[in-house]
């Protein structure tokens, strides 16, 4: 507390005067202040001061700065402030203490504030505001300017100037309220701004997160990621895989987006895909595509050290939806996927094609079928009518019936083949594997085809001289069916006096006791045009020249033959040209039987050597003679004939020793039968002639017949019709034993 005193003397005078009982206003009771010596001059000033204080417009009071806080003096204005009529009223209202002046709720803070201010003030001054309660109970605000002084005579005192501050306070309060309101508003605005900012920030963060997620999402499936901004024309790698990094120069640097086209595409993209990739990665195209959907793909090839790789590029919009600029480009190699896709696509395309083809084929099959059926049916109906009309004309009737029979045969053939095809298509037709002897098979084929060949004077020959293993496992019926079809066609499409050869060649022995065989059916017929060869296996296809020529056919035989061959694992090939004959061939592989009954190599040689000699065929029946000669000549033998036993004996007698290698002798013949003739020949003087191999060729197949033949001196007894393989086998066996006699010339 500052001990400095401001005009103490005057204040002390004033206080002293105030304490003089006679003085106005009177001093407090019990105050025992020791009055200073007052000189008259000072007393006069003090009195003037008191009067002045009394009349001051503002409140003024003096009180003891001790616990009592007793008021020493309060001017009239104080009475007014408290709405007291008299000083006594004021004293009663306030208890004549400073404590009584201050509104009780404010007192503690006010006293504390005063003493704090005084302790810090250089001049012991303080300023406080507080409420007071007036006599009428109303509350007013006052401002209090206090000054602490210490008097030697009267102790510590405060003198205080008080003014009514209610209006000022109100003003202040309203100003504060306004300010507060403004502040609150401003605070509110600020809060709103912050909230908006936070919201935006959150959105931005979310957007960033979304982009990151997109990029990271891409990173999972795509090896390399590039980020590009089309607006600012820049592109930069975000992540590069070791496999593709070199394509992007391995540098994580920002480039112009133009680099992509000028460098990347130009260097890496397959020339055939370049144009497409240029177009699909141009900024305008990207913008257009990404305005339609968030992402799009592009598949293309790149050339990496001459190796073609399939790449999938995925472009994703990671920026604004309405303004496409920020994009991410993901790359990954999709070689396997694309390859699989391409294979699948091809498979689907093939399936579709074959489905379409199947529909077309079925339709044309049905329309061809109905057309082809109508022709013989019309003939049957027409000739039936004619037959009825000429029922009493036997010759004409027979002619019509013949024609009806032929047309019915054609119809039957057609229906049979059509059924066979549809059966093959709709059933799970399996290839059976049974024991089969190729020689026997050939013989059967020969037998089937021979009558037609004979009718046209076509030389039909079999050649299986290059077959080492005849005993095989195969589907006998299917193989026969194919060969009969081919050989039948060969005869059908070959003019009279032509040649048809059926040749089997064993190509190679395969592991696991398998061997492959080539089957060739060759003719010297009309041949086939190059254009038609492409369609020859399609159902109902017939070349014009064959239809115009009136040769009956269905156009189904080769379809069946081809299907069957394929089932057995082969593929029919055609080699032909118009006028130069045709050769149909296919190769099949068969499992060999364990104990093949093959003629030995010597036997094959023997037969080959026999071909240098004549065979004397002794036969009285002209037709048989022709057929048998045909067969033998077809096999490559030179044939001479004799119409009975006697003629045969004559020819042998007249022959040179090695002129004939074999006699095939019929048994029952006019003039001289076969056995008689044999006996005569065996009795000839020239050993080479007497021991000539003689084989009976008879319609009789009883054991007794065989025995009689052998007893007559024959080497073997075979039955008609000629079983070519058996004949060859027999010949070879006999010739082997006669070798010595022929001086090894056979
Ligand atoms: P088809 O003989 O009953 O007409 P195919 O399916 O067997 O039916 O033969 C189809 C067509 O192929 C024949 O009509 C004919 O034009 C031609 N073709 C078949 N084999 C021969 C062949 N050996 N020589 C000439 N043309 C042939």
């Amino acid at each position: 507390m500052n001990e400095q005193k401001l005009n103490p003397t005057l204040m002390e005078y004033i206080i002293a005067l105030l304490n003089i009982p006679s003085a106005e206003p009177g001093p407090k009771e019990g105050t025992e202040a020791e009055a200073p010596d007052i000189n008259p001059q000072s007393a006069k000033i003090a009195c003037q001061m008191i009067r002045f204080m009394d009349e001051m417009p503002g409140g003024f009071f003096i009180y003891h700065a001790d616990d009592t806080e007793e008021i020493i003096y309060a001017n009239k204005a104080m009475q007014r402030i408290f709405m007291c009529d008299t000083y006594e009223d004021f004293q009663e209202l306030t208890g004549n203490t400073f404590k009584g002046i201050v509104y009780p709720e404010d007192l503690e803070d006010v006293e504390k504030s005063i003493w704090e201010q005084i302790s810090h003030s250089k001049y012991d001054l303080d300023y406080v505001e507080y409420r007071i309660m007036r006599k009428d109970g109303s509350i007013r605000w006052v401002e209090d300017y206090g000054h602490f002084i210490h008097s030697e005579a009267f102790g510590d005192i405060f003198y205080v100037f008080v003014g009514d501050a209610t209006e000022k306070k109100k003003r202040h309060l309203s100003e504060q309220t306004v300010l507060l309101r403004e502040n609150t508003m401003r605070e509110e605005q600020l809060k709103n701004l912050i909230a908006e900012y936070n919201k935006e920030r959150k959105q931005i963060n979310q957007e960033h997160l979304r982009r990151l997620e997109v990029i990271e999402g891409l990173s999972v499936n795509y090896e390399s990621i590039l980020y590009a901004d089309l607006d600012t024309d820049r592109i930069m790698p975000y992540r590069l895989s070791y496999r593709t990094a070199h394509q992007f120069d391995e540098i994580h640097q920002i480039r112009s987006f133009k680099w992509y086209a000028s460098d990347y595409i130009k260097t890496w993209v397959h020339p055939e895909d370049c144009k497409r990739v240029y177009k699909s990665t141009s900024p305008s195209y990207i913008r257009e595509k990404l305005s339609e959907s968030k992402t799009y793909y592009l598949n293309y090839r790149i050339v990496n050290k001459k190796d073609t790789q399939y790449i999938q590029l995925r472009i994703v919009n990671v920026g604004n939806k309405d303004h496409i600029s920020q994009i991410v480009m993901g790359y990954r190699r999709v070689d396997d996927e694309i390859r699989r896709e391409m294979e699948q696509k091809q498979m689907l395309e093939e399936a579709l094609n074959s489905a379409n083809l199947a529909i077309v084929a079925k339709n044309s099959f049905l329309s061809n079928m109905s057309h082809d059926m109508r022709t013989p049916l019309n003939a049957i109906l027409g000739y039936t009518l004619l037959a009825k009309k000429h029922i009493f004309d036997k010759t004409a009737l027979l002619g019509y019936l013949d024609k009806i029979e032929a047309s019915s045969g054609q119809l039957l053939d057609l229906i049979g083949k059509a059924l066979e095809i549809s059966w093959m298509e709709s059933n799970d037709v399996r290839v059976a594997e049974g024991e089969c002897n190729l020689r026997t098979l050939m013989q059967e084929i020969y037998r089937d085809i021979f009558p037609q060949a004979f009718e046209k004077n076509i030389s039909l020959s079999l050649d299986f001289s290059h077959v080492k293993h005849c005993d095989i496992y195969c589907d006998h019926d299917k193989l026969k069916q194919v060969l009969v079809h081919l050989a039948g066609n060969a005869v059908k499409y070959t003019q009279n006096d032509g040649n048809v050869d059926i040749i089997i060649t064993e190509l190679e022995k395969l592991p696991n006791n398998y061997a492959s065989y080539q089957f060739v059916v060759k003719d010297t017929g009309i041949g086939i045009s190059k254009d038609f060869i492409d369609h020859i296996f399609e159902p109902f296809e017939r070349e014009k020249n064959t239809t115009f020529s009136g040769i009956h056919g269905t156009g189904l035989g080769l379809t069946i033959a081809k299907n069957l061959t394929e089932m057995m694992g082969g593929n029919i090939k055609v080699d032909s040209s118009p006028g130069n004959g045709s050769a149909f061939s296919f190769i099949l592989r068969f499992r060999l039987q364990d104990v093949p009954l093959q003629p030995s190599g010597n036997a094959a040689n023997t037969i080959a050597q026999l071909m240098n000699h004549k065979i004397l065929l002794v036969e009285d029946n002209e037709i048989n003679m022709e057929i048998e000669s045909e067969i033998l000549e077809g096999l490559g033998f030179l044939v001479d004939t004799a119409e009975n036993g006697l003629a045969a004996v004559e020819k042998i007698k007249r022959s040179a020793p090695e002129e004939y290698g074999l006699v095939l002798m019929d048994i029952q013949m006019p003039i001289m039968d076969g056995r008689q003739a044999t006996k005569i020949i065996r009795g000839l003087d020239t050993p080479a002639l007497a021991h000539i191999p003689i084989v009976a060729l008879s319609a009789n197949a009883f054991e007794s017949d065989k025995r009689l033949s052998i007893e007559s001196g024959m080497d073997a007894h075979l039955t008609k019709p000629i079983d070519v393989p058996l004949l060859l086998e027999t010949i070879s066996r006999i010739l082997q034993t006669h070798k010595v006699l022929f001086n090894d010339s056979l």
Side-chain angles (χ1 to χ4, degrees):
M1 193 181 296
N2 200 328
E3 292 298 314
Q4 187 193 357
K5 292 170 191 159
L6 287 172
N7 202 3
T9 317
L10 181 58
M11 189 48 75
E12 279 179 343
Y13 285 153
I14 290 169
I15 294 166
L17 277 177
L18 291 172
N19 276 320
I20 295 166
S22 58
E24 267 301 313
K28 264 191 335 157
E29 267 179 45
T31 305
E32 283 173 28
E34 200 184 315
D37 289 337
I38 304 174
N39 70 49
Q41 185 61 28
S42 299
K44 196 177 165 191
I45 293 169
C47 277
Q48 283 172 349
M49 277 299 292
I50 291 169
R51 267 197 295 279
F52 171 72
M53 281 158 29
D54 276 347
E55 299 308 323
M56 260 181 11
F60 178 76
F61 66 97
I62 304 166
Y63 68 96
H64 285 287
D66 56 14
D67 289 346
T68 64
E69 292 184 351
E70 188 189 3
I71 294 174
I72 301 167
Y73 166 80
N75 71 355
K76 286 179 183 162
M78 286 299 282
Q79 292 169 39
R80 281 197 304 275
I81 289 170
F82 280 87
M83 294 189 82
C84 294
D85 296 331
T86 62
Y87 190 69
E88 285 70 31
D89 277 353
F90 173 75
Q91 282 183 313
E92 199 183 326
L93 185 68
T94 59
N96 202 35
T97 59
F98 177 65
K99 289 184 185 76
I101 286 177
V102 183
Y103 190 69
E105 281 179 18
D106 298 348
L107 184 64
E108 196 183 331
D109 289 344
V110 168
E111 284 181 337
K112 201 174 156 199
S113 170
I114 289 170
W115 286 112
E116 266 178 20
Q117 289 182 54
I118 296 299
S119 66
H120 291 108
S121 167
K122 192 176 173 188
Y123 302 108
D124 297 338
L125 297 172
D126 73 85
Y127 171 80
V128 283
E129 284 176 356
Y130 47 82
R131 286 173 295 174
I132 59 164
M133 188 188 277
R134 298 199 295 192
K135 194 179 170 191
D136 64 352
S138 59
I139 307 284
R140 302 288 289 178
W141 276 95
V142 293
E143 41 188 14
D144 166 325
Y145 294 91
H147 184 205
F148 173 85
I149 53 173
H150 178 74
S151 158
E152 289 296 326
F154 304 107
D156 294 339
I157 55 168
F158 270 111
Y159 63 90
V160 181
F161 294 92
V162 174
D164 189 318
T166 309
E167 295 311 315
K168 188 178 161 191
K169 194 79 183 171
K170 270 187 191 164
R171 255 196 334 272
H172 186 66
L173 269 175
S174 73
E175 275 172 14
Q176 263 190 341
T177 316
V178 170
L179 216 67
L180 203 71
R181 205 178 298 136
E182 279 176 5
N183 277 352
T184 318
M185 268 169 60
R186 237 174 265 140
E187 207 177 303
E188 200 61 36
Q189 282 173 349
L190 217 64
K191 265 191 201 162
N192 287 343
L193 273 175
I194 290 170
E196 232 164 81
Y197 170 75
N198 280 342
K199 203 170 139 194
E200 254 173 49
R201 262 184 61 121
K202 202 174 160 192
Q203 277 176 350
I204 290 169
N205 282 346
Q206 276 176 346
E207 185 56 24
H208 274 298
L209 267 175
R210 191 184 66 77
R211 284 180 203 176
L212 270 177
E213 272 169 18
V214 170
I215 296 173
E216 287 305 317
L218 271 178
S219 308
V220 176
N221 292 318
Y222 290 79
E223 300 170 31
S224 291
I225 310 281
L226 266 65
Y227 170 81
D229 190 331
L230 303 179
D231 278 356
T232 54
D233 182 36
R234 62 201 173 100
I235 184 166
M236 59 181 283
Y238 173 81
R239 201 195 72 183
L240 296 178
S241 83
Y242 74 96
R243 287 210 298 182
T244 46
H246 59 287
Q247 292 166 23
F248 303 103
D249 285 354
E250 302 188 20
I251 302 165
H252 284 262
Q253 73 175 49
I254 301 174
R255 297 188 176 92
S256 159
F257 191 76
K258 289 176 198 83
W259 162 89
Y260 189 75
S262 66
D263 246 89
Y264 171 75
I265 301 178
K266 205 171 151 196
T267 317
W268 294 100
V269 178
H270 192 287
E272 284 174 19
D273 295 346
C274 266
K275 209 170 152 196
R276 190 165 51 84
V277 179
Y278 275 131
K279 186 181 161 236
S280 309
T281 54
S282 70
S284 58
Y285 185 87
I286 293 174
R287 284 198 164 104
E288 191 189 318
K289 279 298 261 188
L290 293 184
S291 63
E292 292 162 7
S293 67
K294 212 165 144 28
T295 178
Y296 69 95
Y297 298 89
L298 182 65
N299 291 329
Y300 59 87
R301 292 162 294 172
I302 61 160
V303 185
N304 192 7
K305 295 182 193 146
K306 290 186 184 163
D307 180 25
T308 302
Q309 293 166 358
Y310 290 89
I311 299 288
Q312 182 176 78
L313 164 65
R314 187 179 176 187
I315 300 184
V316 186
N317 177 21
V318 289
N320 196 326
K321 265 187 274 166
D322 306 319
H323 178 79
I324 285 112
S325 173
Q326 292 164 319
I327 56 163
V328 166
M329 304 163 84
Y331 295 81
R332 64 178 180 142
R333 275 182 58 181
V334 284
D335 303 51
D336 292 345
E337 286 167 50
I338 294 280
R339 203 161 291 136
R340 232 177 292 131
E341 238 173 60
M342 278 164 62
E343 277 170 13
Q344 256 175 359
K345 203 172 150 200
Q346 203 176 332
M347 265 167 59
L348 285 174
E349 271 171 12
E350 276 169 14
L352 185 71
N353 280 345
S354 55
N356 287 340
L357 282 175
I359 292 168
V360 171
K362 198 128 255 168
N363 288 342
S364 76
F365 186 89
L366 287 174
S367 76
N368 281 324
M369 178 81 187
S370 54
H371 170 266
D372 283 23
M373 278 173 84
R374 223 159 263 166
T375 317
L377 252 177
N378 282 342
I380 293 168
L381 293 172
Y383 286 124
T384 309
L385 276 177
L386 285 171
K388 278 183 182 166
K389 209 170 159 188
H390 300 97
I391 194 89
F392 299 112
D393 180 348
K394 201 176 167 192
T395 324
L397 191 62
L398 278 175
Y400 295 141
L401 287 177
D402 279 347
K403 282 175 180 144
I404 289 171
E405 194 180 14
S407 297
S408 303
Q410 287 174 15
L411 196 59
L412 202 65
D413 181 32
L414 177 67
I415 292 170
K417 281 178 176 158
L419 281 177
E420 197 171 341
I421 287 180
S422 79
W423 184 77
M424 275 195 286
E425 277 175 2
S426 59
N427 286 280
D428 182 16
V429 183
R430 285 170 197 276
V431 177
E433 202 191 58
E435 287 186 358
C436 170
N437 183 282
L438 283 175
R439 258 173 294 141
T440 316
L441 177 78
M442 293 308 258
Q443 186 193 353
E444 289 166 15
I445 293 162
Y446 195 95
R447 245 186 253 148
D448 286 357
I449 301 302
F450 185 77
Q452 303 147 38
F454 182 73
E455 216 170 277
K456 292 173 79 175
N457 198 30
I458 288 172
S459 146
L460 180 66
S461 83
L462 297 178
D463 178 358
F464 50 96
S465 56
H466 293 100
V467 175
K468 274 206 277 178
H469 304 90
C470 276
D471 292 293
I472 55 163
Y473 291 99
C474 74
D475 192 322
H476 169 276
D477 293 349
K478 289 193 178 66
L479 183 57
K480 180 177 169 188
Q481 206 177 340
V482 173
L483 288 166
V484 166
H485 269 311
L486 298 181
N489 275 352
V491 172
K492 194 157 75 172
Y493 298 111
T494 297
Q495 308 86 334
N496 288 3
D497 307 321
N499 296 317
V500 170
D501 302 315
I502 306 172
I503 307 148
I504 310 180
T505 312
E506 189 173 328
L507 295 179
E508 54 177 337
K509 174 95 173 37
L510 302 168
N512 299 326
N513 210 25
Y514 274 81
S516 59
Y517 296 82
Q518 185 188 48
F519 297 80
V520 182
V521 178
K522 216 161 89 181
D523 63 54
T524 54
I526 58 174
I528 307 158
S529 71
K530 199 172 172 299
D531 288 348
F532 185 66
I533 286 180
D534 296 339
H535 305 281
I536 198 160
F537 295 108
E538 290 167 21
F540 295 106
E541 289 294 338
R542 305 194 69 214
E543 198 167 15
K544 278 200 187 86
N545 58 0
T546 59
T547 48
F548 287 152
S549 63
I551 303 169
H552 166 71
T554 58
L556 294 175
L558 282 183
T559 312
I560 295 171
K562 182 180 188 296
N563 285 353
L564 291 173
T565 312
E566 280 173 1
M567 274 180 213
M568 291 185 284
N571 192 10
I572 303 183
K573 289 203 178 92
V574 192
D575 184 14
S576 178
S577 63
N580 292 320
S582 312
F584 287 77
S585 64
F586 57 93
I587 294 172
L588 294 175
R589 57 195 284 280
F590 299 120
R591 188 157 66 91
L592 306 180
Q593 288 180 33
D594 284 337
V595 194
L597 292 166
Q598 290 295 117
S600 66
N602 282 343
N605 281 344
T606 317
I607 289 173
Q609 282 177 25
L610 178 62
M611 294 191 176
N612 300 326
H613 305 267
K614 281 195 264 181
I615 292 178
L616 181 62
L617 180 63
V618 191
E619 172 67 66
D620 64 321
N621 183 299
E622 218 174 301
I623 293 177
N624 281 353
M625 172 81 88
E626 211 168 338
I627 294 172
E628 286 158 14
S629 310
E630 191 68 38
I631 293 173
L632 293 171
E633 279 166 3
L635 291 170
F637 295 114
L638 297 167
V639 182
D640 195 5
T641 54
E643 61 283 1
N644 56 53
L646 186 61
V649 172
E650 289 305 316
K651 283 206 170 179
I652 294 291
K653 271 189 191 165
R654 273 187 270 120
S655 69
E658 289 173 16
E659 188 180 338
Y660 294 106
L662 178 78
V663 179
L664 288 176
M665 187 81 82
D666 187 17
I667 301 294
Q668 286 182 353
M669 286 179 287
I671 305 174
M672 185 186 286
D673 69 24
R675 291 192 186 111
Q676 253 183 305
T678 303
K679 281 178 191 157
I680 296 171
I681 292 168
R682 292 285 178 247
L684 291 176
D685 296 334
T686 317
L689 297 179
H691 290 99
I692 192 165
I694 303 174
V695 176
L697 209 54
S698 163
N700 301 331
F702 293 115
E703 273 310 305
S704 55
D705 294 315
K706 286 186 185 172
R707 189 174 36 83
L708 286 173
S709 297
I710 301 298
E711 281 173 4
S712 68
M714 292 183 181
D715 296 277
H717 180 104
L718 297 179
T719 47
K720 287 182 193 170
I722 294 180
D723 176 340
V724 174
L726 186 63
L727 172 71
L728 291 176
E729 201 180 282
T730 311
I731 294 171
S732 107
R733 182 170 45 79
I734 299 165
L735 293 184
Q736 288 289 307
T737 52
H738 283 73
K739 229 172 175 183
V740 191
L741 302 173
F742 287 100
N743 298 326
D744 274 353
S745 61
L746 281 177

